[in-house]
Amino acid sequence: IATSPQRIREICLDLINHYEKTIMPNKFKAQIVAYNRWAAIVYYDSLKDLKAPTHDVLITVGHNDGKAYQPFNRTKNEEAEIIRKFKEEDDPKILIVCDKLLTGFDSPIEQVMYLDSPLREHTLLQAMGRVNRKYERKDYGLVVDYWGVSDELQKALKMYSEDGITGMVLTNYRNEILPRLQAAHNTVMNFFRDVPKSANEEEFKDRSILYLEPEDRRVAFDQLFLRFSKYLDILLPDPRALPYTKDLKWLAEI
């Protein structure tokens, strides 16, 4: 079931939609963790068939493995070059793995892990840590769980003290981020409360731009706008975030 092409194709449709809408616009990368080597190849073929963003596979392949595996039988130098391109160049945007690059792999440009494997304990936490490396304009790392590892995650977290896991993994981030988004939205929209209102939207926008003429006012607005856009970026594509996108566009134009 785990390696069924129909199942993996459905997942690929979902992750392509998510990646292209919420991760790729900010120029961040993704990793898919597949159930086994064969599933990794099925993912590769499905993504290729669906014309997904550029992707590659890193799996262990021996000379005695079947014909389907041989295109992915890479030398150490070839593997190192794929990893270098993933870290330093535009392409590939997605790396597919099953056992490689789950631990000890440091790639801050990776923001999302699409997890389709029954990882457990330290391996699960270390794999999730791949997306949490700090990087410019990256406010969070995201794990999209297609397997259903929430119970295993709770078991893994119990291996640490409560102080040790504070802020480490946020499983209910939507409930925490929504109030922050609402507060940031109110604050940035109230920034223009002294601008004379107008029935004409373009006229009010022009007045708002003029209102930002003093440099200190522009700096203050920039900070409020960035905070609002950060929380919206974290929450999207949650439906509760969608009503705020119109104001984000209006503020971005200003």
Side-chain angles (χ1 to χ4, degrees), residues 163-218:
D163 291 340
I165 63 171
T166 300
M168 183 176 170
V169 178
L170 199 59
T171 55
N172 61 340
Y173 73 95
R174 287 190 169 103
N175 292 335
E176 292 198 19
I177 295 299
L178 183 60
R180 299 183 197 178
L181 171 63
Q182 291 168 334
H185 173 258
N186 289 336
T187 303
V188 73
M189 297 305 289
N190 284 335
F191 192 82
F192 298 102
R193 62 184 177 274
D194 295 331
V195 177
K197 299 296 179 187
S198 171
N200 186 304
E201 189 174 322
E202 286 300 317
E203 186 178 348
F204 181 64
K205 186 190 296 182
D206 291 340
R207 291 177 183 175
S208 298
I209 293 169
L210 291 174
Y211 181 70
L212 293 174
E213 187 174 357
E215 185 176 357
D216 59 338
R217 204 175 278 170
R218 286 203 304 279

Side-chain angles (χ1 to χ4, degrees), residues 89-100:
E89 298 186 9
D90 288 342
D91 301 304
K93 292 178 169 53
I94 302 171
L95 271 187
I96 307 162
V97 303
C98 66
D99 52 4
K100 292 176 179 282

Side-chain angles (χ1 to χ4, degrees), residues 11-21 47 50 52-53:
I11 292 175
C12 286
L13 286 168
D14 185 70
L15 74 82
I16 290 170
N17 180 59
H18 176 266
Y19 179 74
E20 290 184 340
K21 285 185 177 178
L47 291 174
L50 293 168

Side-chain angles (χ1 to χ4, degrees), residues 35-241:
Y35 173 67
N36 59 18
R37 296 184 305 154
W38 180 247
I41 293 174
V42 177
Y43 264 105
Y44 179 86
D45 291 339
S46 294
L47 291 174
K48 187 176 181 181
D49 184 53
L50 293 168
K51 296 180 172 52
T54 51
H55 53 282
D56 213 329
V57 178
L58 283 181
I59 55 175
T60 303
V61 179
H63 293 295
N64 294 328
D65 284 319
K67 186 177 179 181
Y69 290 89
Q70 293 312 313
F72 308 104
N73 188 1
R74 272 70 176 259
T75 66
K76 285 188 176 181
N77 286 339
E78 288 171 334
E79 283 194 0
E81 179 62 7
I82 291 171
I83 293 171
R84 186 197 67 77
K85 287 181 177 180
F86 182 73
K87 290 181 176 183
E88 300 174 7
E89 298 186 9
D90 288 342
D91 301 304
K93 292 178 169 53
I94 302 171
L95 271 187
I96 307 162
V97 303
C98 66
D99 52 4
K100 292 176 179 282
L101 309 186
L102 294 183
T103 60
F105 175 59
D106 191 20
S107 180
I109 200 169
E110 181 182 325
Q111 186 178 29
V112 60
M113 173 178 287
Y114 298 107
L115 181 59
D116 188 23
S117 182
L119 302 184
R120 302 173 64 187
E121 298 180 349
H122 290 100
T123 305
L124 174 58
L125 293 180
Q126 288 179 313
M128 292 172 68
R130 299 311 100 210
V131 298
N132 255 5
R133 298 293 187 264
K134 290 184 177 180
Y135 196 72
E136 185 181 0
R137 297 181 298 104
K138 178 178 159 185
D139 297 311
Y140 64 97
L142 181 67
V143 176
V144 179
D145 174 23
Y146 291 111
W147 189 272
V149 299
S150 59
D151 287 344
E152 292 297 334
L153 176 58
Q154 297 307 319
K155 291 178 188 175
L157 292 174
K158 285 177 182 175
M159 298 167 67
Y160 293 83
S161 68
E162 194 169 322
D163 291 340
I165 63 171
T166 300
M168 183 176 170
V169 178
L170 199 59
T171 55
N172 61 340
Y173 73 95
R174 287 190 169 103
N175 292 335
E176 292 198 19
I177 295 299
L178 183 60
R180 299 183 197 178
L181 171 63
Q182 291 168 334
H185 173 258
N186 289 336
T187 303
V188 73
M189 297 305 289
N190 284 335
F191 192 82
F192 298 102
R193 62 184 177 274
D194 295 331
V195 177
K197 299 296 179 187
S198 171
N200 186 304
E201 189 174 322
E202 286 300 317
E203 186 178 348
F204 181 64
K205 186 190 296 182
D206 291 340
R207 291 177 183 175
S208 298
I209 293 169
L210 291 174
Y211 181 70
L212 293 174
E213 187 174 357
E215 185 176 357
D216 59 338
R217 204 175 278 170
R218 286 203 304 279
V219 170
F221 170 70
D222 281 347
Q223 291 175 340
L224 295 177
F225 173 75
L226 287 173
R227 186 172 65 173
F228 169 54
S229 62
K230 177 181 80 170
Y231 288 136
L232 188 57
D233 179 49
I234 293 174
L235 199 60
L236 284 171
D238 189 297
R240 291 174 290 182

